[in-house]
Amino acid sequence: MSADLATTGAVPAPRDEPYGSVRPAIAPEQASRVEAGRPWPLHVWRFDHPLRAICSGPYGGGIGERLWVINATVPRDYARLDPDAHIAELAAGLSLSGPGAGMLTAVDVRDAVSATDADVGVVATVGLGHPTLAAAPDEPGPDAGPAGGGTSTVGTINIVAIVPVPLADAALVNAVMTATEAKVQALVECGFAATGTASDALVIACPGPVAGGAVEPFGGPRSTWGARLARAVHAAVEQGARRWLAARRGE
């Protein structure tokens, strides 16, 4: 991926490329910064062209054009109450400009898992120290992990997914539902009585529409691109969850 952040105007889509020619790569740049006297890793995606994205993270949330994405490792006892400002500081340190999106995790991003399905790419960092059920009561409950017992390991499931074709805004929202359903399916199949952790976040990005080009109206699990997204998310989260369980068991 190029560091060139220049934007271009809409151009007509070629007949043999009804969605346009933009095909953003999923592989992130590996970077690091020093905080509290030690290095901390982070992943950075820099896009040649602004992508249309939906984000649930603390920085750049909502739907809009994004030129970059950050997923940064932070300490397990992370206590800052301004994660958006923190991510803005990280972006400035990386010379990132323009609109972006950012997420934080206690998982070492160097342990991220990637998966692809028909040009849909997913990178997930999977930490399951505090799995939870979305509709659990407010009272503290037992550990939902398959091994049972409490744990002090902080975890978050952060997902970055890139779909190579333009999605309508409604399809982007639907894609969030699809990715979440695929994540839950993976966790259940790994033995977790959980829907995720309380701090999970995701970014789903796609090229913006081009003049005369096609836009996918659907992102559900049985739509063409929603199905591909679901399979890629499922594969990445399943592998990440099994890796997390193996490390917990000392395997």
Side-chain angles (χ1 to χ4, degrees), residues 13-30:
R15 289 188 178 184
D16 58 345
E17 293 184 344
Y19 300 106
S21 59
V22 175
R23 292 293 185 272
I26 187 59
E29 171 189 335
Q30 306 275 351

Side-chain angles (χ1 to χ4, degrees), residues 131-142 198:
T132 187
L133 289 166
D138 290 338
E139 303 81 37

Side-chain angles (χ1 to χ4, degrees), residues 55-121:
C55 172
S56 68
Y59 186 94
I63 297 178
E65 290 190 342
R66 303 290 182 264
L67 280 165
W68 51 267
V69 175
I70 289 175
N71 188 26
T73 300
V74 295
R76 294 178 180 177
D77 59 352
Y78 185 78
R80 286 189 62 160
L81 300 178
D82 59 346
D84 54 340
H86 187 188
I87 293 171
E89 294 166 7
L90 298 179
L94 292 164
S95 299
L96 299 173
S97 61
M103 304 178 290
L104 302 174
T105 177
V107 176
D108 190 326
V109 297
R110 293 170 296 185
D111 293 329
V113 178
S114 62
T116 60
D117 190 287
D119 292 330
V120 174

Side-chain angles (χ1 to χ4, degrees), residues 9 13 35 38 43 50 65 116 125 131 163 178-179 195 224 228 244-245:
E35 292 180 352
R38 58 156 288 184
H43 279 167
E65 290 190 342
T116 60
T125 48
V163 179
T178 296
T195 54
T224 298
R228 295 166 177 174
W244 184 90
L245 283 171

Side-chain angles (χ1 to χ4, degrees), residues 3-251:
D4 180 10
L5 299 179
T7 60
T8 60
V11 295
R15 289 188 178 184
D16 58 345
E17 293 184 344
Y19 300 106
S21 59
V22 175
R23 292 293 185 272
I26 187 59
E29 171 189 335
Q30 306 275 351
S32 67
R33 83 283 184 189
V34 176
E35 292 180 352
R38 58 156 288 184
W40 295 93
L42 65 158
H43 279 167
V44 186
W45 289 260
R46 306 175 194 253
F47 306 128
D48 294 320
H49 305 275
L51 299 188
R52 189 79 174 158
I54 186 167
C55 172
S56 68
Y59 186 94
I63 297 178
E65 290 190 342
R66 303 290 182 264
L67 280 165
W68 51 267
V69 175
I70 289 175
N71 188 26
T73 300
V74 295
R76 294 178 180 177
D77 59 352
Y78 185 78
R80 286 189 62 160
L81 300 178
D82 59 346
D84 54 340
H86 187 188
I87 293 171
E89 294 166 7
L90 298 179
L94 292 164
S95 299
L96 299 173
S97 61
M103 304 178 290
L104 302 174
T105 177
V107 176
D108 190 326
V109 297
R110 293 170 296 185
D111 293 329
V113 178
S114 62
T116 60
D117 190 287
D119 292 330
V120 174
V122 170
V123 175
T125 48
V126 180
L128 287 158
H130 293 287
T132 187
L133 289 166
D138 290 338
E139 303 81 37
D143 187 341
T151 176
S152 60
T153 304
V154 175
T156 292
I157 301 174
N158 283 355
I159 295 170
V160 176
I162 297 181
V163 179
V165 301
L167 300 176
D169 283 359
L172 275 171
V173 174
N174 207 351
V176 172
M177 297 173 62
T178 296
T180 302
E181 291 169 3
K183 176 192 73 172
V184 174
Q185 179 182 340
L187 294 179
V188 170
E189 290 174 356
C190 289
F192 287 89
T195 54
T197 80
S199 54
D200 293 353
L202 87 169
V203 175
I204 300 175
C206 66
V210 297
V215 176
E216 285 293 314
F218 305 115
R222 295 284 63 85
S223 68
T224 298
W225 292 100
R228 295 166 177 174
L229 171 66
R231 289 190 292 266
V233 170
H234 176 273
V237 174
E238 180 184 32
Q239 183 179 347
R242 295 193 186 284
R243 179 184 294 178
W244 184 90
L245 283 171
R248 186 182 189 188
R249 295 165 178 164
E251 299 175 4

